[in-house]
Amino acid sequence: MSRVCEVCGKGPIVVNSVIRRGKARAAGGVGRKVTGVTKRFQKPNLQPLTVTRAGVSVRMRVCNKCRKSLI
């Protein structure tokens, strides 16, 4: 269960990486053309956080959004 937030369960997602060429119409060109689409992963921003539970220190890997809400 690496790359997954231990609080909210946020994990990696698959997105498209779009490669374009050309000049935008607003800038006087003929428009941008899509020349390639490949899949890539976006990983969550996981940070280590030490939490004290019942007198025991536990290290957790949580995303930055959950870390800000816990502190």
Side-chain angles (χ1 to χ4, degrees):
M1 292 293 288
S2 63
R3 295 190 184 145
V4 175
C5 176
E6 295 181 19
V7 176
C8 65
K10 183 186 292 185
I13 60 172
V14 178
V15 295
N16 286 329
S17 175
V18 180
I19 307 300
R20 293 183 178 94
R21 69 183 300 264
K23 191 173 182 181
R25 285 186 184 158
V30 295
R32 306 265 292 169
K33 310 292 192 300
V34 174
T35 60
V37 178
T38 57
K39 290 186 181 291
R40 72 179 200 89
F41 288 97
Q42 282 185 346
K43 299 174 200 155
N45 186 9
L46 296 181
Q47 303 291 327
L49 181 67
T50 304
V51 180
T52 304
R53 289 186 178 172
V56 178
S57 295
V58 179
R59 280 190 71 174
M60 300 173 63
R61 290 182 63 178
V62 298
C63 66
N64 198 35
K65 189 173 182 180
C66 293
R67 186 173 181 219
K68 286 179 180 179
S69 66
L70 291 174
I71 293 178

